[in-house]
Amino acid sequence: MASNDLIRYLPKAELHLHIEGTLEPELMWQLANKHDIVLPYESVEAIRAAYQFEDLQSFLDLYYQGADVLRDEDDFYQLMWAYLLKCKEDNVVHTEMMVDPQTHTHRGVGFEVFMPGFKRAIKQAKKELGISCYLILSFLRHLPEEDALQTLEEAKEYYDDFIAVGLDSSELGNPPSKFENVFARAKSLGFKCVAHAGEEGPPEYVWQALNLLQVERIDHGVRSAEDPVLMRKLVENQIPLTVCPQSNLKLNVVDEMSQHNILKLLDDGLLVTVNADDPSYFGAYINGNFESLDRALDMSDKQLVKLVKNSFFASFLPEDEKEYWLALIDKAFASK
Ligand code: ADE
Ligand code: ZN
């Protein structure tokens, strides 16, 4: 089987995905028309053409601007449903995605608007597509910790709908140490913890996420490779890194895909996974990410299967469900 076919054929879990980053230009255009919003673009093509980024911040500026077209419950339903259809297309059977509440609450769109829309699509996907979804409530790190604490409070009615809390947005200058109190509070409420670290920020931020925020997974973490002691800790404790190759390329974390360190990290024994991050903005959903890696790094079938199995190992699924999918991957690979 050609590797592109195998990529499509294997059931996968996606663990690092921002739902707001799945907003395709077509839907942005449609929702802008619906709500009489004037976009700073002349066409759908012009929106897509604007997706050229220098770094994380230049992307985030467009990403927050784009999210402004999401105004009512049905907009959030449509956004989520469109992503879940992509999951079906790419054979993603389980997804753990980040929601950025502050992106919406700060413009007057509350939990009572976006949560029912998301939940309606998630319920439909479970029933009609057989896809399971967990949500991660992610705090925006460029805002004060007080704002994150208030957001956690505002989410109260929806605690049962979130499995974990996360930390995203502008990394440099906003270290994990800034969010120690809100992560401690979330942990005491029973949430699992994850955080973006080591995307643009130094290995020190990964250490802080592990030691101060007590996270179970690191989102990105590719700069961990600069610190051999940290690398040893990540291997020994099998702490997952949810890596996003196409995002790293588009945000100039790496100059060329051929220089990406994900397969080296994998071969060194780290529990790395492949994810899309913000697929609309970076031009690739999960299979597109695997295909780019294959083209640039000549990934072996063995490496591909390991990466896919890692996505279930690193997930928050119960053990019996993990085992079910891991066995299915073995079976699928053996019969290819
Ligand atoms: N929000 C959405 N995508 C992000 C990324 N790659 N890093 C930090 N914050 C984000
Ligand atoms: Zn991310």
Side-chain angles (χ1 to χ4, degrees):
M1 191 181 276
S3 50
N4 278 8
D5 293 334
L6 186 59
I7 289 166
R8 271 187 219 109
Y9 184 61
L10 294 173
K12 288 164 286 278
E14 178 149 59
L15 308 179
H16 183 160
L17 183 287
H18 303 263
I19 191 60
E20 293 86 358
T22 68
L23 177 62
E24 289 287 345
E26 287 79 5
L27 184 58
M28 191 192 292
W29 189 259
Q30 183 194 318
L31 297 180
N33 283 339
K34 172 180 162 185
H35 297 297
D36 288 326
I37 297 164
V38 180
L39 291 174
Y41 308 105
E42 283 184 352
S43 64
V44 168
E45 294 70 37
I47 303 177
R48 197 162 268 123
Y51 293 170
Q52 311 286 339
F53 311 111
E54 276 162 29
D55 53 17
L56 175 58
Q57 192 57 52
S58 63
F59 151 70
L60 289 169
D61 293 343
L62 283 198
Y63 164 87
Y64 295 127
Q65 183 190 80
D68 186 42
V69 300
L70 299 161
R71 300 278 173 99
D72 64 28
E73 195 251 50
D74 199 61
D75 300 345
F76 289 96
Y77 163 80
Q78 280 200 63
L79 179 72
M80 181 65 80
W81 183 244
Y83 165 61
L84 293 168
L85 286 176
K86 294 279 189 189
C87 286
K88 187 72 190 169
E89 220 175 285
D90 279 5
N91 205 7
V92 171
V93 295
H94 175 69
T95 171
E96 300 182 1
M97 69 193 106
M98 275 163 271
V99 176
D100 288 349
Q102 289 149 298
T103 299
H104 312 300
T105 54
H106 273 232
R107 46 189 188 88
V109 176
F111 278 85
E112 73 289 353
V113 178
F114 55 83
M115 287 306 288
F118 287 153
K119 286 172 68 173
R120 181 152 61 96
I122 288 170
K123 195 169 165 196
Q124 188 179 347
K126 182 89 203 156
K127 187 160 167 247
E128 295 177 15
L129 309 176
I131 295 170
S132 59
C133 304
Y134 292 162
L135 295 179
I136 300 169
L137 191 166
S138 205
F139 303 116
L140 299 183
R141 69 201 305 161
H142 65 274
L143 297 172
E145 186 184 45
E146 193 49 48
D147 208 289
L149 281 160
Q150 193 187 320
T151 302
L152 188 57
E153 191 61 26
E154 283 169 33
K156 219 172 208 155
E157 212 181 300
Y158 299 96
Y159 282 172
D160 287 349
D161 298 306
F162 290 100
I163 193 145
V165 297
L167 187 64
D168 60 13
S169 194
S170 321
E171 187 180 11
L172 290 169
N174 295 296
S177 57
K178 184 177 159 186
F179 295 92
E180 237 181 302
N181 296 310
V182 71
F183 271 68
R185 169 95 186 113
K187 212 173 180 57
S188 75
L189 289 168
F191 292 107
K192 295 175 180 296
C193 298
V194 302
H196 283 52
E199 178 185 17
E200 285 188 341
E204 168 60 17
Y205 284 19
V206 179
W207 281 114
Q208 287 187 12
L210 295 172
N211 293 335
L212 304 182
L213 307 187
Q214 307 270 303
V215 301
E216 291 180 46
R217 286 198 308 240
I218 297 287
D219 293 317
H220 293 295
V222 289
R223 285 197 59 194
S224 304
E226 296 166 28
D227 180 342
V229 181
L230 176 58
M231 288 286 280
R232 252 200 320 278
K233 177 168 173 84
L234 295 171
V235 173
E236 279 172 16
N237 295 285
Q238 287 293 283
I239 297 159
L241 303 187
T242 63
V243 178
C244 308
Q246 187 71 13
S247 162
N248 295 153
L249 181 68
K250 291 289 177 180
L251 301 186
N252 293 313
V253 170
V254 293
D255 295 333
E256 306 271 350
M257 195 60 96
S258 58
Q259 289 167 17
H260 203 289
N261 63 1
I262 184 169
L263 295 187
K264 168 89 173 63
L265 296 175
L266 181 74
D267 293 343
D268 285 348
L270 275 86
L271 210 177
V272 288
T273 69
V274 172
N275 308 270
D277 206 8
D278 302 283
S280 163
Y281 292 89
F282 304 143
Y285 285 79
I286 196 167
N287 285 0
N289 274 269
F290 276 111
E291 285 160 16
S292 308
L293 282 181
D294 189 36
R295 271 196 304 277
L297 293 170
D298 198 18
M299 180 174 56
S300 69
D301 282 359
K302 202 168 154 216
Q303 287 170 320
L304 167 61
V305 170
K306 184 98 180 86
L307 287 166
V308 171
K309 283 180 127 180
N310 281 355
S311 72
F312 291 97
F313 277 127
S315 76
F316 293 138
L317 281 169
E319 286 308 313
D320 58 333
E321 286 185 49
K322 285 187 189 185
E323 275 161 27
Y324 170 83
W325 290 114
L326 291 167
L328 211 76
I329 293 165
D330 282 335
K331 211 167 124 198
F333 186 52
S335 69
K336 79 181 172 82

